[in-house]
Amino acid sequence: MTKKKTILSGIQPSGKLHIGNYFGAIRQHIAMQDQGDAFYFIANYHSLTSLNDGKKLYQNTIDVTLDYLALGLNPEKATFFAQSDVPQVTELAWILATLTPVSLMEKGVSYKDKIAAGLSPNIGLFTYPILQAADILIYHSDVVPVGEDQKQNIEICRDLAGKFNRAYDGEFLIIPEEYIVKSVAVVPGTDGRKMSKSYKNTIPMFEEGKPLKKVLMSIETDSKALEEPKDPEKDNVFALIKLFADESKQTEIADKYRAGGYGYGHAKLELLELVEEYFADAREKRKELEQDLNYVMDVLTEGGKKARERAESVMEPIREVTGLVRNF
Ligand code: ADP
Ligand code: TRP
């Protein structure tokens, strides 16, 4: 029998999750819990690079856990935990940092993007990919499902695993593969740029009613008049509709765009209905779970325990081969 693949991914608790996170990553995470040994964690150490408000970070951690459980994460199948419950991660991150050329970090696109978006250029942000590499390598992960923007970080992780294995002459770390679903690799935000918390252009997943309507109505479009025919493939609203509608509904709406007499306002209302329907069950489930926070805490506690056990088994030979503990 071949060994079950280890699937791992993380998500930062730095704000409300949005539909870019969902289609780009979370949906795959939930589907993959049936396909291998899945580990999903809340990257709270990573969020410290941009959020220095303890209460908020903690609340976001609970919120992300609620979101995942509501969306179908099954803790019997997948190990779900907080990054900070596994101290072996920061231990490995330091060891990897000693093998990381400064020039490798200087090539980091994500760092440059974040600085450009106004984040403070702290060393944690600069070395963020090293901690991310440790996150992945500490569980001997095989596959990492993420959105397109994480591609470079996974490449850095592979690079660092190779450097460690060569430096210590053995297969101590497993070189992982990324898993990116091309059709949803970059979900656009309300302004047409990549949807991202840092750009303030998100459509939060668990928003509903009036606040959701307000966000959807703010999606930027061109200024074609109501009666003019429109090209659906050039429109932001339609790009989002495609995520939610089945094929026949997509064709029906695309035809209306092309025929004219159908405005962007109409399309936005259609999108509103689709979003409400798509997440209706998850929203109900989330409200139920909010009443049972003890359960939510138990999920994190149990998940942390399992994750630590796996991490410790990977860390032990590393401590020995690096000479941090006696192995002779
Ligand atoms: P944000 O850019 O809003 O801070 P994160 O960096 O926390 O989002 O991303 C969490 C996960 O969601 C990652 O796997 C990322 O690739 C994915 N993701 C984020 N935004 C998008 C998007 N607009 N399209 C596709 N995937 C996305
Ligand atoms: N950098 C990822 C993001 O912003 C979050 C993350 C941290 C992650 N560690 C990871 C993703 C390990 C995959 C694997 O979305």
Side-chain angles (χ1 to χ4, degrees):
M1 206 179 77
T2 50
K3 186 181 149 277
K4 259 203 202 167
K5 282 213 188 279
T6 297
I7 301 158
L8 171 123
S9 197
I11 194 141
Q12 289 194 70
S14 44
K16 282 188 183 168
L17 295 186
H18 53 75
I19 65 170
N21 299 140
Y22 180 71
F23 287 103
I26 302 171
R27 188 172 60 165
Q28 282 71 259
H29 299 168
I30 292 178
M32 290 173 92
Q33 65 187 353
D34 294 311
Q35 295 165 18
D37 206 0
F39 287 77
Y40 301 129
F41 68 93
I42 303 185
N44 50 3
Y45 279 136
H46 277 113
S47 278
L48 286 177
T49 59
S50 60
L51 179 62
N52 301 128
D53 178 335
K55 275 202 184 119
K56 218 175 193 168
L57 183 71
Y58 190 81
Q59 186 56 48
N60 288 349
T61 304
I62 304 297
D63 281 340
V64 172
T65 310
L66 281 167
D67 292 348
Y68 264 80
L69 292 170
L71 289 163
L73 180 112
N74 180 347
E76 305 282 318
K77 292 181 181 168
T79 304
F80 193 85
F81 59 102
Q83 185 182 30
S84 56
D85 277 345
V86 185
Q88 289 85 350
V89 162
T90 47
E91 192 181 357
L92 179 61
W94 176 259
I95 295 173
L96 294 175
T98 64
L99 296 169
T100 308
V102 173
S103 59
L104 185 63
M105 292 298 101
E106 281 170 344
K107 290 188 202 120
V109 176
S110 172
Y111 175 74
K112 287 177 201 148
D113 284 354
K114 286 179 179 173
I115 299 306
L119 263 63
S120 85
N122 59 65
I123 288 291
L125 200 59
F126 186 63
T127 58
Y128 183 117
I130 305 179
L131 182 58
Q132 180 159 350
D135 285 330
I136 298 169
L137 301 172
I138 197 73
Y139 307 105
H140 274 173
S141 310
D142 299 299
V143 190
V144 187
V146 280
E148 176 81 22
D149 57 347
Q150 296 298 310
K151 204 175 163 68
Q152 191 190 29
N153 284 349
I154 312 296
E155 206 39 63
I156 294 174
C157 170
R158 292 164 54 85
D159 200 347
L160 295 184
K163 281 189 198 304
F164 185 92
N165 288 344
R166 281 191 299 280
Y168 291 98
D169 198 20
E171 233 206 289
F172 296 95
L173 297 172
I174 306 263
I175 309 215
E177 302 284 340
E178 70 202 17
Y179 176 70
I180 298 173
V181 178
K182 288 285 169 234
S183 58
V184 288
V186 186
V187 174
T190 51
D191 58 0
R193 290 190 290 171
K194 178 201 121 142
M195 186 177 293
S196 171
K197 278 162 269 176
S198 352
Y199 298 150
K200 305 208 166 24
N201 62 356
T202 67
I203 303 173
M205 218 175 335
F206 286 94
E207 208 68 272
E208 50 189 310
K210 264 198 186 151
L212 176 63
K213 185 170 178 187
K214 194 166 165 224
V215 178
L216 297 184
M217 286 300 162
S218 75
I219 298 173
E220 290 174 25
T221 60
D222 62 30
S223 49
K224 284 206 172 78
L226 177 84
E227 55 282 1
E228 282 181 76
K230 301 173 181 66
D231 182 354
E233 297 306 332
K234 289 201 178 122
D235 176 46
N236 252 333
V237 187
F238 190 75
L240 292 164
I241 284 176
K242 278 213 261 187
L243 298 169
F244 294 95
D246 59 25
E247 293 250 344
S248 75
K249 185 83 184 162
Q250 285 183 35
T251 316
E252 179 197 316
I253 300 176
D255 288 346
K256 289 197 236 173
Y257 266 77
R258 295 195 187 94
Y262 180 81
Y264 293 118
H266 294 131
K268 288 175 183 175
L269 288 177
E270 207 129 20
L271 175 61
L272 175 63
E273 210 173 290
L274 285 164
V275 178
E276 295 271 20
E277 195 185 305
Y278 195 94
F279 291 118
D281 290 349
R283 282 176 188 155
E284 280 315 302
K285 178 96 192 282
R286 196 181 193 286
K287 284 176 197 149
E288 281 168 29
L289 287 162
E290 277 167 22
Q291 303 307 315
D292 197 359
L293 289 180
N294 282 339
Y295 167 72
V296 175
M297 299 312 296
D298 284 351
V299 167
L300 287 175
T301 307
E302 272 308 301
K305 214 167 116 198
K306 278 198 238 161
R308 266 194 311 277
E309 275 167 22
R310 167 78 78 106
E312 184 58 18
S313 72
V314 174
M315 201 57 219
E316 265 172 18
I318 291 179
R319 285 188 205 111
E320 286 178 10
V321 74
T322 47
L324 294 171
V325 296
R326 186 188 149 107
N327 74 335
F328 45 85

